[in-house]
Amino acid sequence: MRALQRPAALVPLVSRACARAAGGRARSSSGPSSAPSRPAIAAKHPYQVDLKAGTRYAWCACGHSKKQPFCDGAHKTAAPDLSPLRFQLDEAKSAWLCGCKHTKSPPYCDGTHMEEFIQKAELLEQP
Ligand code: FES
């Protein structure tokens, strides 16, 4: 199995999705007493992608995008209190981006998808 590394050149542009995916706080759309949305499990595996240097990417943090692992704007209606993680790299590289949306190292897979709560979960219906 190929080892996963977090590149030092990752430049996070928005950290809200990162904090949310890591179990932290997120913006709430309906007041402080409502529970924040939890990301949907888009896949039970990571996506291998070739990332270009200097390109701005938006990793889907809500799990509702039809363009996994990237954002297609679906969070605006499906999970308005979750936002994509925007990032860019200084160097091009191949990476495994999280598809389960529960990684503690977004946007990268950290192996969380192997946990029972992911493997036994039902996936969203894809068109
Ligand atoms: S796909 Fe989410 S941690 Fe691996």
Side-chain angles (χ1 to χ4, degrees), residues 6-7 10-12 14 17-18 21 46-47 49 51 57-61 69-70 84-89 95-101 103-110:
R6 183 182 181 108
L10 177 68
V11 180
V14 173
C18 177
Y47 297 89
V49 295
L51 301 170
Y57 294 99
W59 172 76
C60 169
F70 300 109
L85 174 65
R86 300 181 201 284
F87 68 99
Q88 65 184 43
L89 301 176
W96 292 90
L97 299 187
C98 175
C100 76
K101 311 305 175 185
T103 179
K104 293 172 184 63
S105 185
Y108 302 105
C109 172
D110 69 353

Side-chain angles (χ1 to χ4, degrees), residues 21-89:
R25 296 182 56 182
R27 172 175 41 117
S28 175
S29 62
S30 56
S33 62
S34 65
S37 298
R38 290 191 46 85
I41 298 169
K44 297 179 182 180
H45 57 80
Y47 297 89
Q48 186 175 24
V49 295
D50 292 322
L51 301 170
K52 298 175 184 173
T55 298
R56 293 176 56 135
Y57 294 99
W59 172 76
C60 169
C62 74
H64 293 278
S65 172
K66 302 294 187 255
K67 295 183 178 180
Q68 293 296 330
F70 300 109
C71 176
D72 69 356
H75 64 278
K76 294 174 187 170
T77 54
D81 58 336
L82 297 178
S83 299
L85 174 65
R86 300 181 201 284
F87 68 99
Q88 65 184 43
L89 301 176

